[in-house]
Amino acid sequence: MDAAVPDTGSPVLDGSLAPSAEVPGGLLEGMKVPAYVVDAEGLIIAANGAALRLLHRPAAELLGHDAHDLLHRDSHGRPLPRSRCEMRDALLAERTGHNDLGWFARGDGSLLGLSWFLTPYALDPDRPGALVMLYQRHEPAGHREDGEEHATALTELDRLALLAETTTQLTSTLDVTEALHRLAALTVPLLADWAVVDLLTENDEVRRALVVQYKDGVLIERADLQGPMPPLPQESPMPLSRALRGAASSIASAATYQGPPDSGIAVEQHRLFEETGMHSAAIAPIRGLRDVLGALTLGRAARPDAFTASDLPLLEDVTRRAGLALDNARLYQRQRKVSETMQRHLLPQMPTIPGLQMTARYVAAPQASQVGGDWYDAFPLMDGATALAIGDVVGHDLDAAGGMAQVRNMLRAFAWSHPEAPSDVVTQLDQAVMHIAEVPMATVLLARLTSGDDGLWRLRWTNAGHPPPLLVDHDGRTRFLTGGHGILLGTGTTRPREDAVVTLPPRSTLVLYTDGLVESTRHSIDDGLDRLRKHAASLARRPLDPFSDALLDRARPTDNDDDVAFLALRTPDPAP
């Protein structure tokens, strides 16, 4: 099947490596399991022939490429976020790691479920790396690809292992789609050739959320069989309809849906059996704590043995655990929706300032509740100036968002009622944070933006522990505005604050941002600032909105899960 991939018969080494960094000759090829070696950055530097054949890739597609970007996927084939990659976490922490089920993209476009084991591997004394070994998941007892009769009985140990793995896999994600794909991977091909999940929406509508087939050693999602379903009949005795109403699990065959249909769901079930070739199916309800969430159908087509009543208790145990996991995932998604709505109301719309372009962005922390303490603001002052502000309250939750709203609203009030030096306003804000707001610590940068008679714009600002603004000229020259820097809010320190002033050149871009754009767990803050500066310089002549989107995408470190607030403005062309 994989004859197109050459078997080199020897370790595939990156010849650009110094001899001291090479993998010892014969080490990988002497291993019976597929294996490859990565450096500290996750770049593949060696692979044995077994790995090339398993992944169906020639050496040129592996060597020098980032293993995560090239190979790692989630259970439905999408690129896996780095923050969710257990293998990358183990690599960066220089520790041993393993997983019984990871998904890998093969060169032919198929998706392969594999067990993996990673262990630190010293390429040389000053250059860490890791050895990765891949294992194909064992075929379940009784499953044979040669067409011989299948033995369906699982041992009690097999059953307990399946239930334990179901609990572990499903409770470790709060994403409904991911949970469904994990459920399919746990039950197929162990129990069936096909897995079908039908879900009930909050409006009691039925949606065929997932159809997965096991074929040629991989799971294939059948999007053509997924989608909306007819309404749920309240009196139908047919197996799927009964399961969606919460009745006990049951067994169905192709003959079950051959007669005159009693509902639209029965029509769809007839189509499902015809399209999949299933001759036997077990259907069980998926129950949450209070409601029926849907139903799981496991079908057998390639396997000749039919389901029996003895298979149903195990299926019900699986769907019971699936129901609890889906309940939690749905609750989390509802909370996240509320949080996103709250965030949209907390962050303001940008004012229109004649002669200036202005835009803002907010990127939520991926692993948090979609709200956090990062914020931006821009608003007019009574003397005609415009206030610009950006800040960060410690935390990534609703408490941080609430504290952020307090700080922002107090800053607005102080700036409006006392249109004076930004340093005086921030000094007042610091005192209020200490005695009024429920904020442990915060940073803020406040600026006044004014236009002079000469047509040039001037910025006067003070900085309370915040990353410095970046000024980018139209020709790509950059500088960080480091003046006016003082200690962050909430420390109790009464050290005087200072202001700084700069004239913004025509067609220049001013960037205000929070530390999520430049901080990294693996590199210094100076590296992050330099990365931001270089990318901003390269984008200097792009329109402001494309400039902002590209800068966020390119400058933000891949290993930073913090939220980011971002505000940018561009001055007009010089006056004629």
Side-chain angles (χ1 to χ4, degrees):
M1 180 178 65
D2 297 335
V5 179
D7 185 355
T8 61
S10 61
V12 182
L13 299 178
D14 181 352
S16 66
L17 294 177
S20 62
E22 290 185 353
V23 180
L27 171 63
L28 289 188
E29 206 58 39
M31 301 176 66
K32 299 301 183 183
V33 299
Y36 59 86
V37 174
V38 296
D39 64 12
E41 299 297 325
L43 301 181
I44 301 173
I45 64 169
N48 64 6
L52 300 181
R53 292 189 295 273
L54 178 66
L55 297 173
H56 205 271
R57 294 179 184 274
E61 286 189 12
L62 290 179
L63 297 184
H65 290 81
D66 187 297
H68 176 85
D69 294 341
L70 181 67
L71 302 176
H72 301 173
R73 299 292 183 267
D74 62 18
S75 58
H76 40 284
R78 299 181 304 191
L80 184 67
R82 291 174 179 258
S83 59
R84 287 172 43 198
C85 182
E86 297 179 11
M87 186 182 294
R88 187 169 179 81
D89 288 345
L91 171 67
L92 297 179
E94 298 185 31
R95 60 173 173 80
T96 298
H98 74 279
N99 194 316
D100 290 334
L101 178 59
W103 296 99
F104 293 78
R106 304 178 80 208
D108 60 3
S110 62
L111 190 64
L112 188 61
L114 300 171
S115 300
W116 58 262
F117 178 85
L118 178 146
T119 186
Y121 183 94
L123 301 173
D124 59 42
D126 299 318
R127 191 159 179 254
L131 171 67
V132 179
M133 291 171 282
L134 305 175
Y135 304 87
Q136 287 188 286
R137 303 182 74 203
H138 294 299
E139 289 295 334
H143 183 72
R144 299 282 301 278
E145 293 186 353
D146 55 11
E148 295 180 7
E149 184 176 355
H150 297 67
T152 61
L154 297 177
T155 67
E156 187 62 24
L157 184 60
D158 291 333
R159 292 170 180 263
L160 292 175
L162 172 61
L163 296 178
E165 187 68 9
T166 300
T167 301
T168 301
Q169 290 285 339
L170 297 189
T171 58
S172 62
T173 180
L174 291 173
D175 182 88
V176 171
T177 301
E178 176 67 21
L180 295 182
H181 280 82
R182 292 186 183 187
L183 176 61
L186 287 163
T187 54
V188 176
L190 182 63
L191 302 176
D193 310 308
W194 291 83
V196 181
V197 180
D198 295 288
L199 294 181
L200 290 165
T201 70
E202 294 182 353
N203 297 321
D204 289 331
E205 296 172 350
V206 183
R207 178 173 62 93
R208 182 144 283 169
L210 183 66
V211 180
V212 169
Q213 175 188 13
Y214 182 76
K215 184 178 181 181
D216 297 330
V218 295
L219 296 181
I220 301 171
E221 183 173 352
R222 290 290 300 272
D224 58 310
L225 299 177
Q226 299 170 185
M229 294 277 283
L232 175 62
Q234 294 304 313
E235 304 296 333
S236 172
M238 304 302 280
L240 178 60
S241 298
R242 295 181 69 249
L244 290 171
R245 296 198 303 267
S249 58
S250 58
I251 295 171
S253 68
T256 305
Y257 290 95
Q258 288 295 334
D262 65 352
S263 65
I265 283 186
V267 173
E268 288 299 318
Q269 283 295 88
H270 176 73
R271 173 176 172 250
L272 177 70
F273 273 86
E274 283 195 334
E275 291 284 343
T276 62
M278 293 189 304
H279 61 82
S280 179
I283 305 174
I286 300 175
R287 298 185 181 91
L289 291 175
R290 290 170 294 275
D291 305 305
V292 179
L293 305 180
L296 171 64
T297 299
L298 296 181
R300 291 176 178 172
R303 297 175 59 163
D305 52 317
F307 282 103
T308 66
S310 62
D311 295 313
L312 297 181
L314 176 61
L315 178 59
E316 290 177 346
D317 281 339
V318 169
T319 56
R320 189 178 302 114
R321 287 161 172 78
L324 293 176
L326 290 178
D327 232 2
N328 289 335
R330 283 186 168 183
L331 178 61
Y332 172 78
Q333 290 187 345
R334 283 196 293 268
Q335 178 185 3
R336 185 170 64 180
K337 186 175 181 180
V338 171
S339 299
E340 289 172 344
T341 302
M342 178 180 177
Q343 187 76 56
R344 283 195 298 271
H345 286 289
L346 289 176
L347 295 175
Q349 297 294 319
M350 291 293 95
T352 299
I353 304 174
L356 276 182
Q357 301 176 51
M358 188 181 301
T359 190
R361 303 286 189 273
Y362 178 82
V363 181
Q367 301 303 315
S369 300
Q370 297 297 314
V371 293
D374 290 28
W375 58 280
Y376 58 79
D377 203 356
F379 52 93
L381 299 173
M382 65 171 61
D383 62 354
T386 299
L388 306 176
I390 194 161
D392 186 359
V393 173
V394 174
H396 305 111
D397 52 23
L398 290 175
D399 289 338
M404 172 265 284
Q406 287 183 312
V407 171
R408 195 197 78 185
N409 290 337
M410 287 191 297
L411 179 63
R412 276 195 165 207
F414 292 148
W416 176 260
S417 59
H418 300 86
E420 50 203 29
S423 57
D424 294 336
V425 175
V426 172
T427 297
Q428 288 182 304
L429 178 65
D430 195 6
Q431 292 298 312
V433 166
M434 289 291 298
H435 299 96
I436 300 176
E438 299 176 0
V439 174
M441 205 164 290
T443 69
V444 68
L445 186 144
L446 175 65
R448 284 172 50 88
L449 186 65
T450 56
S451 177
D453 294 336
D454 55 4
L456 297 177
W457 292 83
R458 290 174 177 83
L459 189 78
R460 184 177 185 180
W461 79 95
T462 191
N463 188 337
H466 201 78
L470 176 63
L471 182 60
V472 186
D473 291 350
H474 183 66
D475 60 7
R477 288 177 294 176
T478 61
R479 53 176 165 147
F480 286 104
L481 305 182
T482 57
H485 199 82
I487 198 165
L488 71 169
L489 306 180
T491 65
T493 302
T494 57
R495 188 179 304 166
R497 299 186 181 276
E498 299 179 353
D499 291 313
V501 179
V502 68
T503 298
L504 304 179
R507 297 187 294 175
S508 63
T509 305
L510 179 69
V511 179
L512 309 181
Y513 55 93
T514 54
D515 56 10
L517 188 59
V518 292
E519 283 192 345
S520 166
T521 58
R522 299 174 54 201
H523 302 288
S524 70
I525 186 67
D526 289 338
D527 289 336
L529 292 171
D530 190 54
R531 180 184 178 90
L532 174 65
R533 179 187 61 78
K534 289 179 178 178
H535 284 299
S538 71
L539 299 166
R541 296 192 178 182
R542 286 201 184 186
L544 189 60
D545 281 318
F547 167 92
S548 301
D549 292 333
L551 187 59
L552 279 168
D553 180 62
R554 297 180 186 181
R556 189 184 189 193
T558 56
D559 60 346
N560 191 336
D561 288 340
D562 200 358
D563 49 343
V564 178
F566 178 96
L567 191 155
L569 64 86
R570 182 164 293 169
T571 56
D573 292 334

